[in-house]
Amino acid sequence: MKIRTIYFKVPDTAKAAAFWSELLATAPHKDFYGWKEINCGNIRLGFLQNPGDVFAGSGCVPVFEFPDDALPGYIARARALGAEVIVDGLEDPNMKSIAFRDPFGHEFELSRFHD
């Protein structure tokens, strides 16, 4: 079994995809009204817009792992794009990641490689 897709329900797919595209430095490979999708290695990160959906908090927390030399660049980019730090556990041996909230209220983590 594998995770094929993780997606967020969002009020504006264009804005959400632009944030994540800029953060992950990759363009969406699927770009339709109401659905955009970014290929992240073997997992697809999608954004679904359904008129009438009501949003409350984060519906999903994807964790992206990076080598130590690449991680600071992604952290800086997340901050520059308006992501808010929730918990900075990079130096915590039990966490090894930093948790953010994107401008749309969704949480995500940028992590060091670890088992």
Side-chain angles (χ1 to χ4, degrees):
M1 182 184 310
K2 70 174 187 170
I3 296 173
R4 183 181 71 97
T5 305
I6 295 173
Y7 71 91
F8 294 116
K9 290 185 172 184
V10 297
D12 187 321
T13 55
K15 287 182 181 177
F19 173 88
W20 287 96
S21 290
E22 192 68 28
L23 176 65
L24 300 174
T26 186
H29 68 277
K30 290 188 179 177
D31 190 351
F32 307 107
Y33 176 79
W35 179 258
K36 304 212 183 305
E37 189 176 284
I38 296 170
N39 209 354
C40 297
N42 64 346
I43 297 176
R44 301 169 195 170
L45 179 62
F47 310 95
L48 175 67
Q49 181 178 337
N50 279 327
D53 273 354
V54 177
F55 304 96
S58 184
C60 179
V61 182
V63 178
F64 300 90
E65 287 187 334
F66 299 97
D68 284 348
D69 61 337
L71 187 58
Y74 284 92
I75 291 170
R77 198 171 339 180
R79 287 182 169 142
L81 289 165
E84 170 191 356
V85 175
I86 299 169
V87 176
D88 185 344
L90 280 176
E91 303 308 320
D92 179 341
N94 295 314
M95 189 171 173
K96 297 183 182 178
S97 67
I98 182 168
F100 287 94
R101 184 174 294 115
D102 76 12
F104 314 100
H106 293 290
E107 297 175 10
F108 64 97
E109 292 184 32
L110 301 180
S111 175
R112 301 177 189 276
F113 281 131
H114 66 283
D115 293 330

